Amino acid sequence: MASIDISNVSKTYPGASAPSVSDINLSIRDGEFIVLVGPSGCGKSTLLRMVAGLEDITGGEVHIGDRLVNRVDPADRDIAMVFQNYALYPHMTVRENMAYGLKNRRTPATEIESRVAEAARMLELGPYLDRKPRALSGGQRQRVAMGRAVVRQPAAFLFDEPLSNLDAKLRVSMRGEIRRLQKRLGTTSLYVTHDQLEAMTLADRLVVLNAGRIEQVGAPLDIYHNPASTFVASFIGSPAMNLIDAEIRGSSLHIGATEVPLGSMQAAQGPVTAGIRAEDLQVTGHGLPFRVDFVEELGAQRLVHGHVEGQPLTLALTPDAALHDAFHLSIRPGALHLFDTRSGRRLPQPESGVFASRVLA
Amino acid sequence: MNRVRPFDHFVLILGTLFMVLPVAVAVMTSTHTAVEIHSHGLFLTPGGHGAETYATVLTRQGGFTGQVTGTRMMMNSLILGIGFAVGKIVLSMAAAYALVYFRFRFASFLFWIIFTTLLLPLEVRIMPSYQVMSDLGLLNSYTGLIVPLLASATGTFYFRQFFKSVPDELLEAARIDGAGPFKFLIDVLIPLSRTMMAAIFIIMFVYGWNQYLWPMLMTTEERFFTLMRGIKQILQVWVGSQIPDYNEAFALAILALAPPVLVVVVFQRWFIKGLTESDK
Ligand SMILES: Nc1ncnc2c1ncn2[C@@H]1O[C@H](COP(=O)(O)OP(=O)(O)OP(=O)(O)O)[C@@H](O)[C@H]1O
Ligand SMILES: [Mg+2]
């Protein structure tokens, strides 16, 4: 078990004009579960593979424990990796697959046997030990891949979208299994996914990447409640946060012809992007005029899609709420996020006031 | 769908007869004496002299020096066929491994160079090849017989395509599992290539077994003669006034036919697997 320190790490692929990952700084504590999340192509895998040693580091340093590993072979970094397509050796049985890494390290046979047995018990792979991967289901293969990582008892686990090839239901249960296993073993983990739900549920801390840079680092709820930018706001949370063009004049926010008083004089003046989560909107007698376009029933929730002042907006209602063609909405106190329109960065937030709005005549 | 279609069967039976009859004729004829064959032509019924003909063919000391028997020729052919097939597999696998898994300059250029050698079969470069072997003092040796035939673009090509289809993650997983380049080849790639190797072995063994021109050029000593030359040797007696040993020629032809058939029968399960199923 060990901490991982990533300092000023960049990666430019040979022949590429721009770096795929630039200037990443991240300190991972011993035993922490870190999830890297971001859209496709943002450099998650690249960063992970640099930690694994599968990709050369073009700039910066990676430490595992107190050891600089930039030039260390993947085999000697004391890490184990789980791949999206499992990467099991097709010609070896489950047992051989798990034992292969240990055998190459000249672990005594009795030790190998006991570790494989232990991992098989933990992952409920006992009945399949003598099967080839071909004869296993996707979920079982994924468990073998995890078993292969577990038996090594490495300083860190690296996961690259390990659940993407599974169906939705299995993904949820495997997600729980990974979390349980990691808690139990206390092994430092770096986990890549583009699924924000997976990221939220697994992470001790979340790292949101965008175009090769860190957009925000923090506990999942922290990020959910205080997104550092419009990018994070739209990426984390489902449905995505509503982002609306608005303008601050004095102590109120103007959305089209509607005015939302913010309670006090604002430091930022002029155009802003206002972020409001779907569940932070309440139906009231007066306020933001909302026209319904269509409704999505989720069972526990009802998502109402529509427009406010010509801008798209999504609203989450309880299923028993009455539906009309038009509503008036108010924003839950303290739930308004303001972002700079141009840079997308978060602005100092208004004091929690009552955001009942008033239509200007 | 399962209706019996007489016409289909008729075509199939006809095809089978077409393929099998010549072999059957050869087998049957080889069991008669040379005199019978000379006077009656080919036979479709078994004669009574099979055992002695085959025994003679396999054990009689023939040729000018009396050094060569059928067994000996058969062994030479086997050495050529197996050495050729195994050598080709080893060599082309090593070449493909280097081309696919090692980053070096001009790798794809080198591959195309190798590939263009397809345009230059042995028959085209037979004189220079002979010259080289002769300068190296390798005439009349198994090495000289086999080595010049080994360079193989096809084998390299097949293995390259196969290695390219092996997912990169497998290599990466093996690297993390502490397998170096050699261990990865032995522990992962070779087991995965088994069916591929079986397929190439069949093709190459038959090709090596059937070599005629090159062995004839390379070997002048009779103890290096292969079966293919032996058959011709027997029929050459024609120049004299005696009856050629037709029966022995047929027996030898059957003997020359048997090993490739055996190889195909033994390896065909893997061969078909290698062509149709990928084990990745
Ligand atoms: N071998 C490579 N050579 C050149 N460019 C590459 C290479 N691998 C990745 N890239 C580029 O680097 C960027 C980051 O790729 P990366 O694979 O890290 O994305 P990712 O965040 O893992 O995406 P995904 O969620 O789709 O897996 C991409 O723009 C990609 O085109
Ligand atoms: Mg990726």
Side-chain angles (χ1 to χ4, degrees):
Chain A
M1 262 139 270
S3 58
I4 301 175
D5 267 296
I6 300 170
S7 35
N8 302 317
V9 164
S10 327
K11 170 76 186 182
T12 310
Y13 282 103
S17 56
S20 294
V21 162
S22 36
D23 218 14
I24 300 283
N25 283 289
L26 186 63
S27 270
I28 304 172
R29 289 188 298 274
D30 185 10
E32 207 174 10
F33 200 120
I34 294 280
V35 176
L36 294 174
V37 66
S40 187
C42 70
K44 307 178 295 284
S45 300
T46 304
L47 182 56
L48 189 81
R49 292 163 55 80
M50 282 193 284
V51 175
L54 297 173
E55 213 71 74
D56 289 334
I57 300 169
T58 25
E61 295 185 342
V62 173
H63 290 262
I64 297 178
D66 357 298
R67 197 158 58 115
L68 176 69
V69 294
N70 280 38
R71 307 225 147 271
V72 177
D73 205 63
D76 302 324
R77 291 194 183 195
D78 200 14
I79 45 110
M81 189 154 167
V82 178
F83 296 86
Q84 175 175 352
N85 62 7
Y86 323 126
L88 300 176
Y89 310 116
H91 58 292
M92 297 188 197
T93 63
V94 169
R95 187 194 307 281
E96 290 164 341
N97 260 288
M98 293 206 269
Y100 187 61
L102 294 175
K103 236 194 262 165
N104 288 342
R105 284 181 174 69
R106 305 190 189 290
T107 314
T110 50
E111 170 83 10
I112 294 181
E113 205 173 310
S114 74
R115 285 206 211 173
V116 168
E118 166 71 10
R121 200 181 47 72
M122 217 161 20
L123 292 160
E124 292 164 20
L125 284 170
Y128 314 113
L129 278 179
D130 292 314
R131 286 206 203 163
K132 297 268 176 72
R134 196 179 333 125
L136 296 177
S137 74
Q140 289 162 346
R141 283 180 211 186
Q142 191 54 64
R143 287 219 293 276
V144 176
M146 280 169 51
R148 191 167 63 177
V150 166
V151 292
R152 295 259 318 277
Q153 305 182 346
F157 290 139
L158 305 177
F159 299 89
D160 194 352
E161 310 207 17
L163 306 183
S164 310
N165 283 3
L166 303 179
D167 66 53
K169 200 168 156 208
L170 198 54
R171 212 178 303 168
V172 173
S173 71
M174 284 300 293
R175 201 165 74 195
E177 212 160 310
I178 289 181
R179 188 62 178 139
R180 194 167 48 78
L181 200 69
Q182 196 269 345
K183 274 263 174 293
R184 183 168 153 192
L185 300 171
T187 309
T188 314
S189 302
L190 192 54
Y191 186 107
V192 163
T193 178
H194 59 247
D195 179 344
Q196 57 91 22
L197 193 64
E198 213 170 284
M200 292 281 290
T201 48
L202 280 172
D204 289 328
R205 276 195 303 155
L206 212 58
V207 177
V208 185
L209 283 178
N210 181 21
R213 293 178 183 281
I214 291 188
E215 197 81 14
Q216 189 172 9
V217 182
L221 280 184
D222 246 8
I223 291 186
Y224 184 80
H225 290 301
N226 301 299
S229 64
T230 46
F231 175 82
V232 179
S234 61
F235 197 78
I236 300 293
S238 172
M241 185 186 276
N242 296 300
L243 294 172
I244 293 176
D245 292 330
E247 195 177 339
I248 294 181
R249 284 186 225 135
S251 65
S252 53
L253 181 75
H254 294 257
I255 301 170
T258 314
E259 183 186 354
V260 182
L262 297 176
S264 61
M265 191 64 186
Q266 293 299 303
Q269 293 287 329
V272 293
T273 301
I276 313 153
R277 294 220 179 266
E279 57 271 27
D280 291 332
L281 287 161
Q282 292 166 324
V283 178
T284 51
H286 61 286
L288 289 167
F290 177 71
R291 296 210 64 79
V292 177
D293 290 338
F294 64 96
V295 178
E296 282 180 322
E297 299 287 0
L298 301 184
Q301 230 184 12
R302 168 178 281 169
L303 293 183
V304 186
H305 298 266
H307 283 86
V308 159
E309 301 284 358
Q311 304 191 52
L313 188 89
T314 305
L315 165 67
L317 293 177
T318 51
D320 48 352
L323 277 180
H324 307 284
D325 280 348
F327 291 105
H328 285 283
L329 301 175
S330 69
I331 302 162
R332 202 189 298 278
L336 177 67
H337 308 262
L338 296 180
F339 301 96
D340 188 294
T341 303
R342 219 162 323 120
S343 69
R345 306 308 299 179
R346 187 179 185 82
L347 293 170
Q349 300 304 295
E351 300 289 311
S352 60
V354 183
F355 301 142
S357 48
R358 167 163 63 88
V359 182
L360 296 180
Chain B
M1 280 313 285
N2 282 331
R3 236 176 49 228
V4 178
R5 300 217 186 107
F7 182 71
D8 293 4
H9 283 266
F10 176 71
V11 170
L12 287 175
I13 289 166
L14 210 67
T16 311
L17 286 179
F18 187 72
M19 303 299 281
V20 170
L21 265 181
V23 180
V25 168
V27 171
M28 292 310 168
T29 310
S30 71
T31 57
H32 294 265
T33 61
V35 180
E36 280 173 334
I37 299 169
H38 195 65
S39 49
H40 291 96
L42 300 176
F43 287 90
L44 256 176
T45 50
H49 305 275
E52 57 195 73
T53 307
Y54 280 88
T56 320
V57 161
L58 280 174
T59 56
R60 191 189 55 207
Q61 313 260 311
F64 295 114
T65 53
Q67 270 176 335
V68 65
T69 60
T71 324
R72 176 87 201 189
M73 288 193 283
M74 194 139 181
M75 202 184 71
N76 286 342
S77 280
L78 272 179
I79 291 176
L80 178 57
I82 293 176
F84 175 74
V86 169
K88 263 203 160 166
I89 288 174
V90 169
L91 207 67
S92 49
M93 197 154 171
Y97 185 56
L99 284 171
V100 174
Y101 287 100
F102 291 84
R103 238 168 285 142
F104 55 91
R105 277 213 258 180
F106 312 123
S108 56
F109 175 72
L110 273 180
F111 172 71
W112 288 111
I113 292 279
I114 293 175
F115 202 67
T116 49
T117 60
L118 271 183
L119 302 174
L120 295 172
L122 182 74
E123 286 74 10
V124 177
R125 56 184 164 87
I126 201 154
M127 277 307 146
S129 295
Y130 181 84
Q131 176 77 50
V132 169
M133 286 301 120
S134 147
D135 288 351
L136 290 175
L138 288 174
L139 299 182
N140 284 317
S141 72
Y142 290 117
T143 319
L145 210 51
I146 295 171
V147 170
L149 296 171
L150 286 184
S152 163
T154 33
T156 309
F157 180 73
Y158 285 136
F159 276 113
R160 174 177 177 266
Q161 293 314 101
F162 177 76
F163 289 166
K164 273 177 172 284
S165 75
V166 172
D168 289 343
E169 283 85 352
L170 226 48
L171 170 66
E172 293 172 350
R175 281 181 69 190
I176 291 176
D177 269 342
F182 193 66
K183 248 184 159 346
F184 177 66
L185 177 68
I186 301 289
D187 288 350
V188 180
L189 276 185
I190 289 182
L192 285 183
S193 320
R194 269 186 313 224
T195 51
M196 187 78 194
M197 284 156 76
I200 294 185
F201 184 83
I202 293 187
I203 298 170
M204 294 307 171
F205 176 80
V206 173
Y207 188 82
W209 180 269
N210 287 339
Q211 283 298 317
Y212 181 68
L213 180 61
W214 180 247
M216 197 156 84
L217 220 73
M218 276 301 295
T219 54
T220 45
E221 284 176 33
E222 287 185 330
R223 64 197 166 94
F224 286 108
F225 277 14
T226 59
L227 268 183
M228 296 304 138
R229 295 189 65 179
I231 298 173
K232 184 166 173 279
Q233 215 76 43
I234 288 174
L235 291 178
Q236 253 169 4
V237 188
W238 189 237
V239 269
S241 57
Q242 86 193 90
I243 298 169
D245 294 321
Y246 287 122
N247 54 340
E248 292 179 12
F250 275 117
L252 219 48
I254 293 301
L255 287 177
L257 207 69
V261 169
L262 221 70
V263 164
V264 170
V265 168
V266 169
F267 280 92
Q268 76 166 344
R269 202 161 52 88
W270 291 305
F271 179 68
I272 290 171
K273 246 177 139 184
L275 290 181
T276 57
E277 173 190 300
S278 73
D279 194 15
K280 285 180 288 288

